Amino acid sequence: DKLFRQLEKMSVPIIRWQEEYRPSQVTRTPFPDTEAEIMAAACWARHLIEQERENNETMPLQAKKNIGIVVPDLQNQRSRIIRIFSDIFYPGRPQQAPFPEQSIFNLSLGAPLSEFPMIRDGLQLLEWILGQKDWQTCSTVLASPYWGGGEKEWNQRGLLDARLRRHGRQTHSLSDLIHAGKSICPLLVQHLSNLQAFLSEQEGKTRHFKTPEQWARWFDMALKRLGWPGERTLDSREFQTLESWRAVLATFSGLGVILESIGWNEALKQVGRLASETIFQPLQAEAQVQILGVLEAEGERFDDLWILGLSDQVWPTIPEPNPFIPVSYQRKHDLPRSSSQRELHYAQRLTTRLLNSTNRVIVSY
């Protein structure tokens, strides 16, 4: 308002635009739990797409539907949403397998880089060099397509995993894998042998102190000996993930300004921390089903919309006044999260816009 008043004093013409909303058909639906609610939303979205494909057989030039799924608590529900939507849209897809280049659904919210399978498996391989790992980690890494021979030896490595489980040991080293896999996993043994040769070249200095820049090169060379990130051609999202990992190593190298030299454990810990703090979202072509937070959805237009997770714990959001600013000042100037009244008005305004962003809306809790 102050800006507008000042502009008017300067004789700047101002046109005040009043947004006109279209009437919506709104359906409110309760569910027994969050799992059932997300499952219903995913099945609903798939039904709309299948229905559209049937219609396109008779009307091939019809535009694709723009389907929105809005989740106020998207950050906390992200993993569950990906799992359920993957099961509905890509049934039978192995958990470790990458999504198609053109995915049907897309989440607007990124995730820590360390949670992406390629990076997670790479970090676990580096940790394994240091010593033994539990059998669960061993099973996860053996099933990974992101290191040498992972796809060609998929079945054989499953047999190796079963053999190791029968031994009943709680932990396994990389040397154990070489010994157990000689007869059934030649590619696995080859890459592990390459790693051992690399470690011998380093004259057993893996635990000695090095600069961050030296450690970054060391980690990169060790992963290459293991055939990471796999022998197949990376798709666009995987390539972007790899580039983000290289940026993490470059950032880690820059710590040499404040850290002259550190040991193996500390170096790997710092790299893992940087990967966890790096929020990453691969760029991709626009998907038909957009899964968004409330702020990302504001101003968008949809053919169909489902707003889920509307519990009183997340909508309106719980006030969290800034502890470094007097609360009275925050409330006087209506700062974000300063009061329950402010959050209520804010939620009402956003909800009204969302409900009128399409002709058909489903809201659920």
Side-chain angles (χ1 to χ4, degrees):
D1 289 340
K2 289 182 180 179
L3 173 63
F4 290 147
R5 286 197 298 270
Q6 187 62 32
L7 290 173
E8 287 171 346
K9 288 179 181 178
M10 299 169 64
S11 300
V12 176
I14 297 176
I15 299 174
R16 297 183 182 273
W17 174 68
Q18 183 65 40
E19 189 169 9
E20 294 183 1
Y21 295 112
R22 295 179 292 171
S24 298
Q25 174 188 337
V26 183
T27 305
R28 184 178 64 180
T29 308
F31 288 92
D33 53 53
T34 303
E35 193 90 1
E37 183 183 16
I38 297 174
M39 179 73 73
C43 291
W44 167 82
R46 174 164 177 162
H47 171 72
L48 290 177
I49 291 176
E50 290 176 344
Q51 192 176 54
E52 179 195 30
R53 287 173 179 170
E54 292 177 1
N55 294 336
N56 281 347
E57 292 180 0
T58 56
M59 301 176 62
L61 297 180
Q62 184 176 348
K64 287 187 177 181
K65 274 186 175 294
N66 179 23
I67 302 169
I69 309 285
V70 175
V71 189
D73 194 27
L74 182 57
Q75 184 169 2
N76 293 325
Q77 299 295 341
R78 186 182 191 279
S79 298
R80 181 182 290 179
I81 287 172
I82 290 178
R83 173 176 56 81
I84 293 175
F85 271 73
S86 299
D87 290 342
I88 296 300
F89 283 98
Y90 303 104
R93 168 186 166 271
Q95 185 178 1
Q96 296 275 12
F99 282 104
E101 186 82 16
Q102 177 61 52
S103 179
I104 298 175
F105 67 90
N106 177 58
L107 267 74
S108 67
L109 182 68
L113 183 64
S114 58
E115 293 183 6
F116 285 78
M118 177 195 297
I119 308 304
R120 180 200 62 209
D121 295 351
L123 288 170
Q124 287 182 339
L125 285 168
L126 289 174
E127 291 173 359
W128 214 343
I129 296 173
L130 188 62
Q132 299 197 358
K133 299 296 289 185
D134 60 81
W135 63 268
Q136 290 176 317
T137 301
C138 178
S139 295
T140 300
V141 175
L142 279 175
S144 172
Y146 293 112
W147 62 308
E151 294 199 330
K152 293 178 181 177
E153 290 185 341
W154 188 293
N155 292 331
Q156 295 96 311
R157 293 186 186 185
L159 294 173
L160 176 59
D161 181 27
R163 177 182 296 181
L164 292 172
R165 287 171 184 263
R166 283 195 298 269
H167 290 168
R169 293 178 54 183
Q170 294 298 310
T171 60
H172 298 283
S173 66
L174 292 177
S175 296
D176 294 335
L177 290 188
I178 294 178
H179 178 73
K182 282 183 178 179
S183 59
I184 56 176
C185 297
L187 293 177
L188 173 86
V189 172
Q190 177 186 337
H191 284 93
L192 290 176
S193 300
N194 291 341
L195 174 66
Q196 287 190 331
F198 169 71
L199 297 179
S200 298
E201 292 171 9
Q202 299 296 306
E203 299 177 356
K205 295 180 180 179
T206 56
R207 290 180 176 82
H208 286 193
F209 288 83
K210 299 178 184 292
T211 65
E213 184 178 2
Q214 290 171 329
W215 277 123
R217 288 198 301 268
W218 196 98
F219 293 150
D220 185 55
M221 290 188 291
L223 286 173
K224 285 180 179 177
R225 295 300 192 282
L226 289 168
W228 184 89
E231 68 272 7
R232 63 182 176 79
T233 303
L234 300 179
D235 63 29
S236 174
R237 283 177 294 183
E238 291 170 330
F239 180 78
Q240 294 175 61
T241 304
L242 182 60
E243 289 298 301
S244 187
W245 164 255
R246 289 169 177 162
V248 164
L249 288 182
T251 301
F252 172 66
S253 298
L255 294 179
V257 177
I258 57 175
L259 296 173
E260 292 185 0
S261 60
I262 54 177
W264 164 279
N265 282 321
E266 182 62 22
L268 192 53
K269 180 180 177 181
Q270 291 292 342
V271 169
R273 178 184 62 80
L274 288 171
S276 298
E277 293 176 353
T278 301
I279 303 301
F280 176 66
Q281 173 73 324
L283 298 174
Q284 66 174 52
E286 188 171 344
Q288 267 193 275
V289 180
Q290 294 291 331
I291 305 173
L292 311 163
V294 176
L295 293 179
E296 293 89 350
E298 186 180 10
E300 294 286 340
R301 288 289 181 264
F302 304 99
D303 295 315
D304 294 274
L305 175 65
W306 186 309
I307 311 172
L308 61 84
L310 290 176
S311 73
D312 59 358
Q313 298 297 312
V314 299
W315 198 248
T317 53
I318 298 173
E320 289 184 359
N322 190 312
F324 299 104
I325 303 175
V327 175
S328 58
Y329 181 89
Q330 296 182 60
R331 291 178 177 173
K332 178 182 177 181
H333 295 278
D334 202 29
L335 298 185
R337 310 297 290 273
S338 59
S339 69
S340 299
Q341 195 66 24
R342 191 267 178 194
E343 293 308 304
L344 174 61
H345 290 161
Y346 183 67
Q348 288 173 333
R349 185 167 69 250
L350 288 184
T351 302
T352 300
R353 291 179 179 176
L354 286 173
L355 293 179
N356 290 279
S357 64
T358 178
N359 287 324
R360 293 180 295 181
V361 186
I362 298 176
V363 296
S364 63
Y365 60 95

